[in-house]
Amino acid sequence: MSAVTGTAPTTATAPLTPTVTGGLQTLAADGWTVTWRNLLKIKRTPDMLIFAVLQPIMFVLLFSQVYGGSIRVQGTDYTQFLMAGIFGQTIVFGATFSGSAMAQDLKEGIIDRFRTLPMSPAAVLIGRTNGDLVLNAISMVIMIGTGFLVGWRFTTSVWSFLGGVALLLLFGYAFSWVMALIGMSVRSPEAINNASFMILFPLTFISNAFVQSQTLPGPLEFIANWNPVSALVQAARELFGNLGSAPVPDAWPMQHPVPTVLIGAVVLLAVFVPLCVRKFQRISSR
């Protein structure tokens, strides 16, 4: 009697914890495996990293050395003003690799191969966006070095500087899920390039990345002040200590850029992660 009574509760409750833990461990392991695959792909095709870095370096040299003498910003030096905009542009443009890679994998049938493996559908997307995060981090290191070469400096504490870098990477990671969804929605890898430019060019150039938003015409000034990229750039300038005495627009995102970016990143992840997973499951089930 006592032996039966002692074993019954163990049989009823034991499977619960291993199932949950095993599911999370499997997702983490699968996600790391796909992340490593994407990192090896960057290693084997270094031109991907080279061109990802050359473009922002070109913008730094073009605006700071060629146009910098003719562009005036109120309250600060243009090079100090410019670098946060270049960082923001680099992060946003870097997120496009998730979209183009997903479109390329669909074209080459890699997704069909993943479907035959006992792995979580979310792991493919996690690995893809993690690859973008690493690529953006490498780009940031190179861009920071480039900024120091042209005279840029941060004037806040090291912790504030690292917080600014982390905020940029967080927004880039969240935005990569948006691009991953677009990459799974287009019909060819070539189409993702056109779709990306139609989204990214207005986001980066109708913003405060390269000029102060108050110098733009009325409607464009309003758009720039509420542009999420403007909030990201303004937050970076604030955390790097590059605002100087420049006037801050009255729009809420410009007055509170750091909370705006944090809220925006959380919203992007909350909306686009489930959408991406569902889209990937529909594609995989065809």
Side-chain angles (χ1 to χ4, degrees):
M1 176 77 70
S2 60
V4 174
T5 305
T7 57
T10 303
T11 303
T13 58
L16 180 60
T17 302
T19 299
V20 175
T21 305
L24 293 176
Q25 289 176 345
T26 300
L27 178 60
D30 291 345
W32 167 247
T33 300
V34 181
T35 300
W36 185 246
R37 170 211 174 232
N38 294 323
L39 295 180
L40 287 176
K41 189 175 181 180
I42 296 174
K43 180 181 177 182
R44 291 167 183 166
T45 55
D47 53 323
M48 179 188 304
L49 178 61
I50 292 171
F51 285 111
V53 172
L54 280 180
Q55 180 177 326
I57 290 178
M58 180 187 68
F59 272 102
V60 171
L61 298 177
L62 182 65
F63 278 89
S64 66
Q65 306 303 313
V66 179
Y67 297 141
S70 58
I71 299 177
R72 295 286 182 268
V73 292
Q74 185 179 351
T76 185
D77 175 71
Y78 185 67
T79 299
Q80 310 305 314
F81 176 88
L82 171 69
M83 286 308 301
I86 296 293
F87 292 147
Q89 183 198 49
T90 302
I91 288 297
V92 172
F93 273 62
T96 61
F97 285 104
S98 284
S100 58
M102 290 301 299
Q104 189 66 37
D105 285 348
L106 286 170
K107 180 181 179 180
E108 296 177 351
I110 302 297
I111 302 302
D112 293 331
R113 298 179 190 177
F114 284 140
R115 185 176 57 182
T116 64
L117 301 175
M119 61 187 299
S120 169
V124 177
L125 297 166
I126 290 172
R128 182 61 264 165
T129 52
N130 283 349
D132 271 6
L133 180 61
V134 173
L135 187 62
N136 269 334
I138 296 172
S139 299
M140 278 294 299
V141 172
I142 296 173
M143 290 311 304
I144 289 170
T146 305
F148 278 116
L149 288 176
V150 298
W152 172 78
R153 299 291 184 270
F154 68 90
T155 59
T156 52
S157 67
V158 173
W159 293 112
S160 181
F161 166 74
L162 293 176
V165 173
L167 193 69
L168 286 161
L169 293 175
L170 172 64
F171 185 86
Y173 179 73
F175 197 73
S176 66
W177 286 90
V178 180
M179 301 311 298
L181 181 63
I182 295 175
M184 290 185 288
S185 302
V186 298
R187 295 177 178 239
S188 69
E190 293 77 16
I192 187 66
N193 293 325
N194 294 329
S196 299
F197 281 116
M198 288 180 64
I199 296 172
L200 298 181
F201 265 81
L203 276 176
T204 53
F205 284 97
I206 308 179
S207 72
N208 63 354
F210 302 107
V211 297
Q212 291 174 308
S213 59
Q214 52 266 42
T215 64
L216 299 174
L220 294 183
E221 179 184 359
F222 176 84
I223 294 172
N225 287 335
W226 288 88
N227 185 340
V229 172
S230 291
L232 178 65
V233 172
Q234 188 76 3
R237 288 187 181 123
E238 183 176 297
L239 292 171
F240 295 157
N242 296 146
L243 287 176
S245 59
V248 178
D250 292 333
W252 197 91
M254 297 295 97
Q255 294 287 333
H256 309 88
V258 175
T260 299
V261 175
L262 290 174
I263 293 170
V266 170
V267 170
L268 287 178
L269 290 171
V271 172
F272 284 94
V273 170
L275 288 177
C276 283
V277 172
R278 283 199 289 269
K279 182 70 174 179
F280 185 82
Q281 289 174 333
R282 285 199 299 270
I283 294 172
S284 301
S285 61
R286 291 176 185 173

